[in-house]
Amino acid sequence: MNTTGLFQVLALVGFPGLALLAARYFKPVAWVGPVVVCYAFGIILGNVPGLGLQERLSLSVSEAAVPLAIPLLLFTTNVPRWLRLARPTLLSFGLACLSAMVSAAVVGFALSDRSDEWWKMSGMLVGVYTGGTANMNAIGLALRVREETLILLNTADIVVGAIYLLILVTVAQRIALLFLPRFPNATGWDDNEAQEAQRGPGLTWSRMRGMALAFLLAALIVGVSVGGTILVFGSLEAPVVLLLITSLSLAASFVPTVRELPGSYEMGDYALLVFCVAVGTLADASRMQNTGLFVFVFCASVVVLAVALHFALAALFRIDADTALITSTATIFGPPFIGPVARALRNRELMVSGLTTGIMGYAVGTYLGLAVAWLLRP
């Protein structure tokens, strides 16, 4: 590997750590979020004239990050506890997933004449709006979507998501209360308690040991999934590999020792940030001018329709405003954004249900997205 390649790997793997550190000490970075910062850094890096980044290297890093992130994120899933959640939370989560699937299918059909990859885009958006970035990109890899589409869809998701997040933390609750019931006996929000929880435990020996074990187990699951697929099918079938990784990771989460491995979720989140930087470096502005607007309209239409349908169904089933908002956050943004939205709603009781449904979204997102894509396939 030459000097440029070494610099590229260090930038892809090392910058997410700097972004997380900046998010802890600088409020503007914390508000924007490490995902946006990492993606923006990648785009800037990829468009610096004369830097000579290797596209193949960025692709390799991005394709390795997603399969590793999935098990690390899913190890912490407590499926029995999730199944015991209050009925309104489970119902609202199910309605949010259904809304995303219907909306992606409707928008896909409506805009199918604009792109031959519309059905792949619909499946990817179901993945991200029921689960998260890991699901969307796992589906994209499984369906062999073009690089430009993958990059543009990630970019559009960030822009559209930022607008919706701003609404969620400002006026969403007041709007929702116009047609949804109020949350019963909200417990409020303790800023000191929230800050303590956000700091989390330090990097102790037992935590480092747990992180190493989580990483080794994740690598083992990826290896078994790849090897098993090649053994049975004679070639590397990406959809089968990713479904196997998801299924084996969920099975492992039923083992209490695995579920309680410290640092597993944080490592999975870090792998996603590495992916964001790597994909960002592939965003060549000159290649994206023609199709960028179409992808943005596609993504924005799915979000608007999904949110509208979810809240219409929530009104039909008399789900309270806060539960509808937190499950919308869990499906569209995932667990990292539950805290800020729960704080904006002044309701810390929503934290557990929001985090749990967000993690479960990671579990079901790949299945739902691939199912919709295959059903829509021309």
Side-chain angles (χ1 to χ4, degrees), residues 55-294:
E55 186 173 293
R56 185 66 251 174
L57 187 56
S58 289
L59 277 172
S60 298
V61 171
S62 67
E63 289 170 359
V66 172
L68 273 176
I70 291 172
L72 289 168
L73 292 170
L74 291 183
F75 287 160
T76 60
T77 306
N78 190 330
V79 178
R81 180 184 179 185
W82 180 74
L83 294 174
R84 292 194 299 268
L85 283 175
R87 178 183 169 276
T89 303
L90 287 175
L91 179 58
S92 184
F93 175 73
L95 294 175
C97 292
L98 176 64
S99 300
M101 294 168 72
V102 171
S103 302
V106 169
V107 173
F109 274 123
L111 301 176
S112 59
D113 60 331
R114 296 292 305 275
S115 171
D116 62 334
E117 291 196 305
W118 65 271
W119 57 279
K120 298 180 182 180
M121 292 167 61
S122 291
M124 291 170 69
L125 289 177
V126 170
V128 74
Y129 296 138
T130 57
T133 305
N135 303 94
M136 175 168 70
N137 295 296
I139 293 165
L141 294 175
L143 299 176
R144 295 182 174 88
V145 71
R146 286 193 290 268
E147 292 167 26
E148 289 88 348
T149 305
L150 184 70
I151 296 162
L152 286 166
L153 215 52
N154 273 278
T155 307
D157 172 52
I158 288 174
V159 175
V160 173
I163 296 169
Y164 183 47
L165 182 62
L166 183 62
I167 294 170
L168 279 172
V169 298
T170 52
V171 299
Q173 188 181 42
R174 277 177 281 176
I175 295 171
L177 285 171
L178 295 176
F179 55 93
L180 295 178
R182 189 175 293 275
F183 186 90
N185 305 316
T187 52
W189 185 271
D190 186 332
D191 285 319
N192 294 327
E193 183 182 327
Q195 287 170 7
E196 259 326 290
Q198 194 174 5
R199 286 192 191 100
L203 198 63
T204 61
W205 168 250
S206 62
R207 188 170 178 79
M208 288 191 290
R209 179 175 171 273
M211 292 169 74
L213 289 173
F215 182 82
L216 289 173
L217 181 57
L220 178 63
I221 285 175
V222 173
V224 168
S225 300
V226 170
T229 302
I230 293 174
L231 190 65
V232 173
F233 294 93
S235 61
L236 191 62
E237 300 292 333
V240 180
V241 171
L242 291 162
L243 288 175
L244 271 177
I245 290 172
T246 302
S247 302
L248 291 174
S249 303
L250 279 176
S253 75
F254 279 89
V255 180
T257 307
V258 174
R259 195 166 59 241
E260 294 163 10
L261 283 172
S264 173
Y265 182 87
E266 289 82 353
M267 289 177 67
D269 192 44
Y270 194 95
L272 284 185
L273 295 180
V274 171
F275 171 86
C276 291
V277 178
V279 169
T281 62
L282 298 171
D284 185 345
S286 62
R287 288 189 303 179
M288 298 192 297
Q289 290 174 354
N290 296 328
T291 55
L293 181 60
F294 162 69

